[in-house]
Amino acid sequence: TGCSTTLVQQLPAGDVTTCDPAWPGLWKATSSAADKPEFAWVEVAADCKTLTFTDAEKTSVEHKTLSLVSTVAGDFLAITDADGKLDCLGKDPKDCGFPIERYVREGEQVRLYAANHRAVHEAIAAGEITGLTQIGNKDDKEAAKPDAATKPKPRQSAGTRAELTYQNLITGSPEQIAQWFVEHPGYFDAEPWLVLDREKTDTRPKHAEVKK
């Protein structure tokens, strides 16, 4: 939702790879998160470190690190900068982590499920899991410190809720985070925000690549 973010301070316990051989190649991307997809194709380089995004208007290239984690709760994807730099909620280097999504791969299709930022916020605020959470925008001062006795905010009306954004950082051991994901599948959306289908023929429009 908008600028909402959910990070994990440590990846959930499981088998980690930075280049599953099933990922490189060209994929057609379809999004349900907007009226039209943010981009229409994504090409994953053979080493999984370069992503080329193409839509009707432009082509751009980004250098990233893909961390794929197979856990007891399912499969998860974290994408960071090429140097592995983590995302942060603020200036404190302790408040940093991996952006995380759940994914399901079946044959030549990958479905990506975004974190349910509001559900994670409420879990942290209620003390069900440990972490930091901010509600509103990135300049808000409200935060629930780990293990702090915090109370969830009153439920908002549908109109107000749609305007809220959440910045979450889930803390804890890799084993704890994996177990929380087992116990609370609702921490991720039930419907995929992006579906990737393997492209056998390159039908992308031709644009000059914009290097990043």
Side-chain angles (χ1 to χ4, degrees), residues 49-132:
K49 295 182 178 180
T50 301
L51 306 179
T52 302
F53 300 103
T54 304
D55 61 18
E57 299 177 353
K58 65 182 184 300
T59 293
S60 60
V61 177
E62 298 185 6
H63 303 288
K64 298 290 185 180
T65 296
L66 278 65
S67 297
L68 306 170
V69 192
S70 178
T71 79
V72 293
D75 295 326
F76 298 90
L77 168 67
I79 301 178
T80 55
D81 288 343
D83 60 1
K85 181 180 179 181
L86 302 180
D87 290 356
C88 300
L89 295 189
K91 296 182 179 180
D92 191 331
K94 295 185 297 183
D95 298 341
C96 300
F98 299 87
I100 194 162
E101 299 182 1
R102 185 173 71 87
Y103 77 89
V104 175
R105 190 181 70 224
E106 293 182 347
E108 298 295 279
Q109 183 180 85
V110 177
R111 299 188 296 277
L112 295 171
Y113 299 81
N116 184 329
H117 307 294
R118 179 170 175 262
V120 173
H121 160 76
E122 292 182 345
I124 295 172
E128 296 172 2
I129 60 177
T130 58
L132 306 175

Side-chain angles (χ1 to χ4, degrees), residues 2-180:
C3 296
S4 293
T5 300
T6 291
L7 310 175
V8 289
Q9 198 169 51
Q10 301 187 76
L11 293 174
D15 296 327
V16 181
T17 178
T18 56
C19 195
D20 186 314
W23 281 73
L26 181 62
W27 303 83
K28 180 70 176 290
T30 305
S31 175
S32 61
D35 293 336
K36 65 177 183 177
E38 182 180 355
F39 47 82
W41 291 268
V42 57
E43 183 177 8
V44 182
D47 63 359
C48 299
K49 295 182 178 180
T50 301
L51 306 179
T52 302
F53 300 103
T54 304
D55 61 18
E57 299 177 353
K58 65 182 184 300
T59 293
S60 60
V61 177
E62 298 185 6
H63 303 288
K64 298 290 185 180
T65 296
L66 278 65
S67 297
L68 306 170
V69 192
S70 178
T71 79
V72 293
D75 295 326
F76 298 90
L77 168 67
I79 301 178
T80 55
D81 288 343
D83 60 1
K85 181 180 179 181
L86 302 180
D87 290 356
C88 300
L89 295 189
K91 296 182 179 180
D92 191 331
K94 295 185 297 183
D95 298 341
C96 300
F98 299 87
I100 194 162
E101 299 182 1
R102 185 173 71 87
Y103 77 89
V104 175
R105 190 181 70 224
E106 293 182 347
E108 298 295 279
Q109 183 180 85
V110 177
R111 299 188 296 277
L112 295 171
Y113 299 81
N116 184 329
H117 307 294
R118 179 170 175 262
V120 173
H121 160 76
E122 292 182 345
I124 295 172
E128 296 172 2
I129 60 177
T130 58
L132 306 175
T133 187
Q134 299 173 338
I135 189 171
N137 58 55
K138 293 183 179 180
D139 294 327
D140 285 342
K141 302 301 182 182
E142 176 193 351
K145 296 296 183 181
D147 301 320
T150 57
K151 297 181 179 180
K153 293 178 70 67
R155 292 189 178 274
Q156 306 289 329
S157 67
T160 302
R161 186 184 305 149
E163 300 171 0
L164 297 178
T165 59
Y166 306 95
Q167 281 74 50
N168 305 312
L169 173 64
I170 300 173
T171 62
S173 70
E175 292 75 18
Q176 285 177 313
I177 293 172
Q179 186 58 37
W180 287 330

